[in-house]
Amino acid sequence: MLGNYSGAVAITIGVLAVQGDVREHLRTLGSLGADVLAVRRPTELAVCDALVLPGGESTTMWKLARSFDLLEPLRDRVKTGMPTFGTCAGMIMLADRIADGVEGQETIGGLDITVRRNAFGRQVDSFETDLQVRGVEGSVHAVFIRAPWVEEAGPEVEVLARIDEGPASGHAVAVRQGAVLATSFHPEVGEDGRLHQMFVDMATGRR
Ligand code: GLN
């Protein structure tokens, strides 16, 4: 499915590249016609129109973002409206509040949610399921790897998808608040670019 989208988009989308599945996001975004950039420095962040925070390990991402002097610039950009898409650990980085974080764990914030880390872990570590996602036609095959879920969301947060079966049924796993999009699962894994397309559309003002 990748590469079937029409036209280049005149924006630069960065992927925070301190840890996690950076390459997969760069590849998917590139296939949709965006200029892509791996972001490790504040100067690189400064030239991005939009940003993806990849899946990986949020505690490591937090510590590295801090030691690369990226945490404050990231907070500034998200707060001032830069379109931002976080997947899995990236969703945790965007949450205003964490449940089951490690001692002192900080986030970038921007999403008025409480996210629960490793939320599915008690039942099952990693799994795949088909989800209905608001704004995407048909179902989305979602890959969950030690994933968080959205425990609680403020009134500005739109829930785009929930788990609809099993013990975790009812928990939100895709949300949007203004220019910020986040999923508990990994749309960067596999060949389905529709969630990234949704983000590109958000970033170019088409959604
Ligand atoms: N459990 C991880 C964390 O807390 C997230 C897992 C993932 O991104 N696949 O950051």
Side-chain angles (χ1 to χ4, degrees):
M1 208 159 171
L2 285 182
N4 282 340
Y5 303 93
S6 56
V9 286
I11 54 169
T12 299
I13 304 183
V15 179
L16 181 66
V18 296
Q19 192 265 336
D21 43 14
V22 176
R23 225 175 343 147
E24 292 81 351
H25 277 292
L26 290 171
R27 173 176 158 272
T28 308
L29 292 164
S31 78
L32 300 179
D35 284 332
V36 293
L37 178 66
V39 172
R40 291 185 194 85
R41 301 189 167 90
T43 49
E44 291 161 343
L45 177 63
V47 302
C48 293
D49 302 302
L51 186 75
V52 169
L53 304 169
E57 174 50 51
S58 60
T59 56
T60 309
M61 226 176 275
W62 151 53
K63 287 176 192 162
L64 290 174
R66 181 155 280 307
S67 67
F68 287 30
D69 287 325
L70 277 166
L71 203 54
E72 292 309 329
L74 285 165
R75 285 174 174 161
D76 279 355
R77 290 297 307 274
V78 175
K79 200 178 294 172
T80 54
M82 174 179 63
T84 308
F85 179 19
T87 65
C88 201
M91 172 191 263
I92 298 171
M93 293 300 291
L94 286 169
D96 285 347
R97 299 168 296 280
I98 311 181
D100 277 357
V102 301
E103 175 82 28
Q105 183 169 354
E106 296 176 285
T107 68
I108 297 163
L111 264 182
D112 182 14
I113 61 169
T114 302
V115 82
R116 179 166 294 280
R117 286 182 67 228
N118 305 324
F120 298 91
R122 277 153 302 206
Q123 289 113 21
V124 56
D125 218 24
S126 299
F127 63 99
E128 303 183 13
T129 190
D130 292 323
L131 289 177
Q132 303 298 316
V133 180
R134 185 181 293 183
V136 178
E137 224 169 284
S139 60
V140 171
H141 189 70
V143 177
F144 292 81
I145 306 167
R146 285 174 293 103
W149 67 40
V150 177
E151 186 110 334
E152 169 268 327
E156 306 290 304
V157 177
E158 181 188 6
V159 173
L160 302 180
R162 294 182 192 276
I163 298 283
D164 62 2
E165 59 182 343
S169 186
H171 284 284
V173 291
V175 291
R176 176 179 179 178
Q177 181 179 358
V180 180
L181 178 69
T183 61
S184 301
F185 51 93
H186 292 269
E188 69 275 22
V189 174
E191 300 295 314
D192 185 348
R194 288 176 297 167
L195 264 305
H196 287 80
Q197 182 68 58
M198 177 189 284
F199 179 60
V200 169
D201 290 347
M202 284 169 58
T204 52
R206 285 181 282 188
R207 289 209 204 207

